[in-house]
Amino acid sequence: DGRLTPMDDEDAETVEEFESDEEEDEEELSCLDEVDKRLSFSGQVIVLLMVPVALLIIFSGINFSKTVSTLQYFQDHKDVLINLGACQHKIMFERGRSSQYSGNPGEETKANMDAARLLTDAPCAALVASAHKADDPAVAAFMYNDVRKWLHDLTVTRYAIDDHDIETLDQLHFFNNMVFFIDKQRGFFANVAVLETVAKTIVELKFAWQAANALGHSRATGASVLALRDKGLDPKLADELSRTGASYFAAQGQFLQIASAQGREFHRQTAGGEIGQRAELYLDGLMKDAVGYNVSKSEWFDTLTAALSGRTAFDVEVIDRAVRSLGLEVLVQSIQLVVVILVSGLSAVFI
């Protein structure tokens, strides 16, 4: 009849169950919303974290690759660098013996010069062999073009010296050009070391090379001065000695300023000990008074040769130190790269 009737017990239970279901649905929806919010926030955090982490991994990988590449380069070219240095020192030795022979021809000076030539030929052959092992196009081009040319020129100059068909100063300039050429090549192979780990070591090595070159040049010029001073001092040779001696003291001073404590100590033990100090004393004395300074030709040459021999050992030690530093850097960077990857992975999991 259209009138509302009171609910019986069964209807009341139905309404209560319906309302209870609605409350449960609302709670479930609220929980789902909360989960969605949390997931959304976590995702944002992960994204925010992963972008810099990804960049860190990329840059770490690039640095690691660069260090490994430089280490590999040094390992491949270590023998080339060492043999270039050995060639340079022996050519400087031959330069001095040749100057002695030209200034005072005789059986003894000729025998000394021939022995020096044999000493030069050995590292030149080792240089060619090590360059072939390096299997590098740049090294191959250097060997087959430049080295073959200066070895040919060396042979021609030797014949001219034997025949007394070249002036003393001209032969000095030829040997000096060879020395500077080798120094340029050593710089070319060493310049790949742009990493901070070995950059300072390479700069140290370059100043040591400059000092050794100037000392070797001074040895040869001084030998010529001493051989000829009884006949009258040649002003050109005296000027050359002053120039090369000043170059040595300048390069040596720069080396001692920038060298590491390890480098200075090794230099002191090899090239800078008593023999090195005596060589500097002789050089300074002859520069100041080329005619009156009391030192024999043999004492001059033997003392400066001993000082230069110590510098050869220093070259090898510095190159080995660069390789060791690079190896340590590779190990450290590989550990850092693994740690970054692990941390980034664990962060993503726990977030």
Side-chain angles (χ1 to χ4, degrees):
D1 58 0
R3 288 179 298 175
L4 295 175
T5 59
M7 290 187 299
D8 55 19
D9 292 339
E10 186 176 347
D11 291 335
E13 290 178 3
T14 302
V15 171
E16 289 177 0
E17 289 176 0
F18 179 76
E19 290 176 348
S20 176
D21 291 340
E22 280 189 334
E23 291 176 358
E24 290 178 0
D25 291 341
E26 289 177 357
E27 290 178 359
E28 289 179 1
L29 288 173
S30 177
C31 289
L32 288 174
D33 288 342
E34 186 66 25
V35 170
D36 287 342
K37 289 179 180 178
R38 290 181 180 178
L39 288 175
S40 178
F41 177 74
S42 299
Q44 292 175 2
V45 171
I46 291 173
V47 170
L48 290 174
L49 286 176
M50 290 308 294
V51 170
V53 168
L55 291 175
L56 180 60
I57 292 173
I58 291 172
F59 285 120
S60 298
I62 291 173
N63 288 334
F64 177 73
S65 176
K66 188 177 181 181
T67 307
V68 169
S69 176
T70 306
L71 174 61
Q72 188 63 48
Y73 184 96
F74 260 85
Q75 288 176 332
D76 289 345
H77 296 84
K78 175 183 172 182
D79 289 341
V80 175
L81 278 168
I82 289 174
N83 287 324
L84 275 170
C87 279
Q88 188 177 52
H89 284 291
K90 297 307 180 185
I91 286 171
M92 288 192 292
F93 184 76
E94 181 179 338
R95 175 179 59 187
R97 290 302 193 195
S98 298
S99 297
Q100 284 184 321
Y101 172 73
S102 297
N104 185 23
E107 291 185 2
E108 182 180 355
T109 53
K110 179 67 165 64
N112 289 338
M113 182 178 67
D114 290 340
R117 289 175 177 179
L118 291 175
L119 292 175
T120 301
D121 293 340
C124 286
L127 172 61
V128 174
S130 61
H132 284 313
K133 289 180 182 178
D135 193 25
D136 186 313
V139 176
F142 156 65
M143 291 306 304
Y144 285 107
N145 296 315
D146 298 331
V147 172
R148 288 177 66 185
K149 181 181 183 304
W150 62 256
L151 286 176
H152 172 267
D153 293 344
L154 175 61
T155 302
V156 172
T157 302
R158 284 174 173 177
Y159 281 123
I161 293 171
D162 291 341
D163 296 337
H164 305 285
D165 196 26
I166 184 172
E167 295 291 334
T168 300
L169 199 57
D170 291 337
Q171 77 180 44
L172 276 174
H173 287 160
F174 167 77
F175 282 111
N176 292 342
N177 288 335
M178 285 191 67
V179 168
F180 293 144
F181 165 77
I182 294 175
D183 199 46
K184 180 180 178 181
Q185 296 301 327
R186 290 204 296 183
F188 167 76
F189 288 118
N191 275 337
V192 71
V194 295
L195 298 179
E196 182 66 22
T197 310
V198 293
K200 292 180 180 178
T201 300
I202 296 304
V203 172
E204 174 185 321
L205 183 60
K206 287 180 179 178
F207 278 124
W209 287 344
Q210 290 177 16
N213 294 346
L215 186 61
H217 192 165
S218 299
R219 176 183 60 182
T221 309
S224 298
V225 168
L226 292 171
L228 295 171
R229 68 179 176 181
D230 293 338
K231 303 175 184 179
L233 183 63
D234 186 338
K236 291 183 179 179
L237 286 175
D239 290 343
E240 187 81 354
L241 180 63
S242 296
R243 186 183 66 81
T244 57
S247 296
Y248 165 74
F249 285 113
Q252 180 69 357
Q254 289 174 313
F255 163 75
L256 292 175
Q257 283 182 357
I258 60 93
S260 63
Q262 185 179 1
R264 286 195 299 271
E265 176 59 22
F266 192 86
H267 175 267
R268 186 189 66 77
Q269 295 174 4
T270 54
E274 181 182 350
I275 293 294
Q277 293 173 6
R278 192 188 312 165
E280 290 186 353
L281 180 65
Y282 286 172
L283 177 56
D284 182 61
L286 198 63
M287 287 170 62
K288 291 177 178 176
D289 185 6
V291 175
Y293 189 69
N294 185 23
V295 58
S296 67
K297 294 187 290 290
S298 59
E299 179 66 13
W300 165 268
F301 197 84
D302 292 344
T303 300
L304 269 69
T305 297
L308 283 165
S309 297
R311 289 179 177 275
T312 304
F314 179 78
D315 283 2
V316 175
E317 192 277 337
V318 171
I319 294 170
D320 283 340
R321 179 150 41 99
V323 172
R324 290 195 301 270
S325 297
L326 284 168
L328 179 61
E329 185 73 6
V330 167
L331 177 62
V332 171
Q333 288 186 2
S334 62
I335 293 173
Q336 289 176 340
L337 188 59
V338 170
V339 169
V340 168
I341 293 173
L342 288 176
V343 170
S344 61
L346 291 173
S347 300
V349 170
F350 286 108
I351 291 175

